[in-house]
Structure formats: structure tokens, C-alpha cells
């Protein structure tokens, strides 16, 4: 087990902002360096521990932080997501591929002991079975984001077998959370809908009502990362990326669940370019390998997640912290 001097890239993002705080609680504030680039860090992030500006496409900049803070564990979350990726494919390739390559190289050269890097359900394309998508199946994604995730998975596996780099990964589904908004993904509607339902009692959804995608609530998302990072290395049989699943629902089912708390809520469905991306992704995921190898088990389903989201966001919005 490493000594836990941790660097989190993408720390100002949807997952990073919460993961950083959780890691700080667990390993001590000063032992977790948050690194952001484009988004402004929250007060919480700035006040609770070290923060650096870091462009992950700049290898020397990563090296400098790793040396200065004697980093032994990296959570590399910085990435361009699926919808923005389709608008800026060159940028998505540059950040996602070169960012990961730089992190893996710095890890190899400087003896960083462990790396977490998230992959995504976006690795799958229409040729893969869409229901209960298996761990090992054909990977022909149609988004550049998915292409970078497939290439990234293969690169991680290569660095493990060739250089012994202990890099671990899960394929996250859409992540739902109340702290920080997601930035430019296809599954963002499942978060936006809560804000709009509470604030305006109406939402215009950018995918069809019958669109089913796999989703996960933030506490489970964080648990997946921490559980996998704490697992004994000999338990990990998959060095590309593990399927992990928690819940699957259609946009219409999500609306119906929210209506239980906000009866006057109405939702219109106006699919845009993101519909095509959603249609190329799985509807549900077989995560039996993760359950078997490192005991993966999610806690939140649609009902429990919705209840908690409404409660947390209602409080947050009432306090004026949109
Ligand atoms: N939530 C991500 C996206 O929609 C999937 O990895 O891009």
C-alpha cells in the first residue's frame, strides 16, 4: 500500500470536486493535491488543502507537481467528455490521449505507485449487446470520446504488462450528483433535470423519453474508485477497465420519479445531436467481474438517488448556492 500523497487531476470537475474532499477526509487535507485547469475551484476545494493549476497535456508541469509534493498516487480525472468532444474532436483527442500518456509516463519514470483513471460506457458502440453489456465484447465506439477511452484502456493495460505500472480503472456510467454540474457529457440531462425541476418545475430534455442509459449516484461513484484503489493487486484480473453498474432508467421514468416529490413538474422532450450518442451506448451493464474481483456493490437505485438528490438540491438552492 502506498503512503498516500495524492494528486487529483480534473479536481474542479463533477467527480473530482467531490472525490478530492473525500480523499482529504480520509488521508488528511495536506496529503491530497487538487489540480484544476479551466473551471474555477470552489471555496471548499481551495480552503481545504493544496490547489495547483495544471494542464495535463504539459508533461513537465505534471512532473513538477509530482516531484514537489512527492506524489505516490494519482487520480487522473481530467478529460473532455462526449458531447463537447463531438464539437471539438481534436481537443478531445489531445487532452484525453496525451493527458493519460503523460500521467502514465510520469508514473513510470518517477515511481508513482498507483493510478486511477476512469473509462466510460462510451467505449461501447452499436455492435455491442445493449442490454447487460458484457465486460469483454466488441468495442467500436462512434464518439471521439469513446475512441479515446478505448485507446486509453489499452494503453493502461500495456503500461501494466510492460512496465508494471499499477493503473486501475472502471467504466463509469452517467454520474448524477448535487455538488458540481457535469461538464459537457451526454448524460448531463439526468443532473440538469433536478435543478430545473426544483427551480422552475419544468425541463426541456435533450434525449427522447424512452432513452434508457446506465447511471450511478455520486456516493457509489466515489466508492467504486476508492474500493478499487484499495483492493489487493492480486485480486485485479482486469487491467483495461471494469464494467460497474448501479441503475438503469429511461428519461421518462426519471421524470415520473421526480414527480413523486414535485407533482407539478413537466418535462418536454426535444432530442438534439446527443440522442445519437445515447442510442449508441448500452442500456444496462453486466458488472459481475467487478463484483467478483473486488466486491463491488452499489447502494443507490433510482428511488434512493432521487430522494437524496431532491433533498440535497432543495437545501442547496434555498441557501442560494446554485
Ligand atoms: N457521462 C459521460 C458523458 O456523457 C459518459 O462517460 O460523456
Amino acid at each position: 500500500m502506498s503512503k498516500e500523497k495524492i494528486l487529483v487531476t480534473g479536481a474542479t470537475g463533477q467527480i473530482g470536486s467531490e472525490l478530492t474532499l473525500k480523499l482529504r477526509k480520509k488521508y488528511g487535507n495536506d496529503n491530497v493535491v487538487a489540480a484544476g485547469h479551466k473551471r474555477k475551484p470552489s471555496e471548499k476545494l481551495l480552503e481545504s488543502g493544496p490547489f495547483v493549476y495544471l494542464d495535463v497535456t504539459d508533461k513537465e508541469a505534471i512532473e513538477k507537481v509530482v516531484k514537489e509534493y512527492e506524489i505516490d498516487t494519482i487520480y487522473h480525472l481530467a478529460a473532455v467528455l462526449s458531447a463537447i468532444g463531438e464539437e471539438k474532436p481534436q481537443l478531445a483527442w489531445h487532452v484525453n490521449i496525451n493527458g493519460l500518456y503523460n500521467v502514465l509516463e510520469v508514473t513510470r519514470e518517477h515511481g508513482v505507485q498507483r493510478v486511477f483513471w476512469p473509462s466510460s460506457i462510451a467505449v461501447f458502440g452499436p455492435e455491442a449487446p445493449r442490454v447487460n453489456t458484457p465486460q469483454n465484447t466488441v468495442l467500436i465506439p462512434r464518439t471521439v470520446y469513446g475512441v479515446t477511452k478505448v485507446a486509453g484502456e489499452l494503453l493502461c493495460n500495456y503500461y501494466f504488462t510492460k512496465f508494471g505500472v499499477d493503473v486501475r480503472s472502471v467504466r463509469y456510467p452517467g454520474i448524477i450528483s448535487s455538488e458540481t454540474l457535469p461538464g459537457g457529457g451526454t448524460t448531463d440531462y439526468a443532473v440538469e433535470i433536478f435543478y430545473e425541476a426544483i427551480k422552475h418545475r419544468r425541463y426541456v430534455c435533450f434525449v427522447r423519453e424512452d432513452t434508457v442509459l446506465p447511471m450511478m449516484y455520486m456516493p457509489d461513484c466515489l466508492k467504486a474508485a476508492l474500493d478499487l484503489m484499495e483492493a489487493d493487486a492480486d485480486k485485479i484480473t482486469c487491467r483495461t477497465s471494469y464494467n460497474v453498474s448501479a441503475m438503469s432508467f429511461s428519461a421518462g421514468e426519471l421524470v415520473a420519479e421526480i414527480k413523486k416529490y414535485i407533482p407539478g413538474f413537466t418535462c418536454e422532450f426535444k432530442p438534439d445531436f446527443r440522442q445519437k450518442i445515447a442510442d449508441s451506448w448500452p442500456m444496462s451493464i453486466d458488472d459481475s467481474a467487478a463484483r467478483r474481483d473486488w466486491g463491488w456493490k452499489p447502494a443507490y437505485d433510482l428511488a434512493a438517488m432521487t430522494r437524496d438528490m431532491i433533498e440535497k438540491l432543495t437545501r442547496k438552492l434555498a441557501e442560494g448556492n446554485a
Side-chain angles (χ1 to χ4, degrees), residues 81-83 120-122 145 172-175 184-188 281:
L81 295 190
S82 62
S120 162
I121 53 164
Y145 174 71
Y172 279 133
I175 302 299
T186 302
T187 54
D188 293 13
W281 287 355

Side-chain angles (χ1 to χ4, degrees), residues 7-20 33-39 45 51-52 54-56 74-79 103 180:
L7 170 65
V8 182
T9 75
T12 55
Q14 184 194 14
I15 299 174
S17 59
E18 295 201 42
L19 181 66
T20 302
V33 181
H37 185 224
K38 284 266 153 64
R39 278 203 211 181
L45 207 59
F51 181 87
V52 294
L54 181 62
D55 175 357
V56 295
I74 302 178
Y75 288 77
H76 174 46
L77 307 180
V103 165
T180 308

